Amino acid sequence: MEDTQWLELLNSFNALKNLYLTCGVAQRVCGALQEVSGERATEVLPALRNIFVDGFRSLEHIQEAIRPFAAARQLSGHPVAIDHWR
């Protein structure tokens, strides 16, 4: 799927608060979220509070990939936390 298709899919889950992703899906979803910044960051998954990723020993790669998205959410007062799926 292309990034725009991932964003379209994610837009259908506007009440989602916790997003659980496996390793392979996390890379694709985070690639799409990497394209979202500024005011648009609160339009994609507006209720999102947490992203949980399974299969990564380190979350640094994922955090780096969505840094613009996370920063925009933080500035808008809608922060998103990223953690391991346990």
Side-chain angles (χ1 to χ4, degrees):
M1 286 177 60
E2 299 290 326
D3 288 347
T4 54
Q5 292 172 309
W6 279 108
L7 291 175
E8 287 175 20
L9 176 65
L10 293 172
N11 278 331
S12 59
F13 299 99
N14 60 2
L16 184 74
K17 293 182 182 178
N18 297 308
L19 180 60
Y20 292 85
L21 302 170
T22 61
C23 179
V25 174
Q27 292 176 325
R28 291 184 173 101
V29 168
C30 289
L33 292 177
Q34 192 173 22
E35 304 297 320
V36 179
S37 61
E39 292 179 15
R40 187 151 181 252
T42 57
E43 295 172 5
V44 176
L45 300 170
L48 185 65
R49 298 293 177 254
N50 301 291
I51 298 174
F52 297 102
V53 182
D54 183 36
F56 272 96
R57 291 180 186 214
S58 170
L59 291 176
E60 291 177 25
H61 177 72
I62 295 297
Q63 290 169 329
E64 184 64 31
I66 63 170
R67 186 177 306 265
F69 175 76
R73 292 292 296 248
Q74 181 72 33
L75 289 173
S76 71
H78 297 92
V80 174
I82 304 164
D83 203 350
H84 287 281
W85 179 359
R86 298 178 187 155

